């Protein structure tokens, strides 16, 4: 007969093993992905942000995105405009797709929101996109604080 302690230990081990698998092996997110952007002077690690998008894209069969400084600059300008006006601008002419988000503090949270939205997830895995620019802008006087823009080209 198995003791209650042995059963509890086995169940605890199984729960921890499953939790570790659901967190990508149990490791911590890098500072670039979990950095809160709701503080003045904080900079988004665009390379890591595009890296997590590329990781997702590989699971959908889409090719890798290259970082694009022009799209980064466009995303930065649109994020600043979005923070100031609260309105999402039209897609720039050099973009295949554009994604907006507001209120998430880190890129990990923002990406999770996009990934869990069917429309945004389809955009992240768009096979015609080959380049990307991403930006976050913090405005303490705005309703949502942090505004995100991802441009795929």
């Amino acid at each position: 007969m198995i003791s209650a302690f042995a059963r509890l230990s086995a169940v605890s081990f199984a729960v921890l093993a499953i939790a570790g698998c659901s967190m990508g092996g149990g490791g911590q997110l890098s500072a670039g992905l979990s950095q809160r952007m709701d503080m003045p002077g904080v900079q988004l690690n665009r390379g890591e942000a595009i890296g997590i998008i590329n990781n997702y894209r590989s699971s959908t069969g889409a090719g890798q995105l290259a970082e694009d400084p022009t799209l980064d600059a466009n995303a930065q300008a649109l994020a600043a405009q979005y923070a100031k006006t609260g309105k999402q601008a039209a897609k720039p002419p050099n973009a295949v797709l554009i994604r907006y988000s507001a209120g998430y503090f880190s890129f990990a949270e923002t990406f999770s929101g996009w990934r869990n939205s069917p429309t945004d997830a389809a955009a992240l895995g768009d096979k015609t996109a080959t380049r990307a620019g991403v930006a976050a802008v913090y405005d303490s006087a705005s309703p949502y604080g942090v505004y995100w823009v991802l441009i795929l080209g």
Side-chain angles (χ1 to χ4, degrees), residues 50 53-54 65-72 129-134 150-153:
I50 292 173
I53 294 168
N54 279 334
L65 299 169
E67 291 180 61
D68 185 305
T70 300
L71 292 180
D72 276 342
T130 59
R131 302 169 295 117
V134 61
L150 170 67
I151 301 175
L152 301 179

Side-chain angles (χ1 to χ4, degrees), residues 1-149:
M1 181 167 174
I2 299 175
S3 73
F5 178 74
R7 276 185 273 156
L8 180 61
S9 295
V11 169
S12 297
F13 177 77
V15 167
L16 289 173
I18 291 168
C21 292
S22 69
M23 293 176 59
Q28 293 286 329
L29 286 175
S30 72
L33 298 176
S34 60
Q35 172 68 47
R36 288 182 62 103
M37 302 302 294
D38 60 338
M39 295 174 269
V42 175
Q43 295 292 314
L44 173 64
N45 185 324
R46 289 178 166 96
E48 286 191 13
I50 292 173
I52 198 171
I53 294 168
N54 279 334
N55 189 29
Y56 174 79
R57 287 173 63 83
S58 68
S59 74
T60 68
Q64 299 291 288
L65 299 169
E67 291 180 61
D68 185 305
T70 300
L71 292 180
D72 276 342
N74 288 346
Q76 189 69 36
L78 290 175
Q81 178 183 345
Y82 186 24
K84 184 174 282 290
T85 67
K87 296 180 180 169
Q88 299 174 355
K91 179 178 74 167
N94 62 342
V96 172
L97 292 163
I98 188 166
R99 305 284 24 115
Y100 286 95
S101 190
Y104 292 112
F105 296 118
S106 71
F107 185 77
E109 293 172 336
T110 304
F111 173 76
S112 183
W114 284 333
R115 184 191 62 217
N116 291 322
S117 159
T119 303
D120 292 334
L124 291 173
D126 183 276
K127 291 183 167 97
T128 63
T130 59
R131 302 169 295 117
V134 61
V137 169
Y138 171 62
D139 183 343
S140 63
S142 67
Y144 293 104
V146 182
Y147 294 79
W148 299 86
V149 174

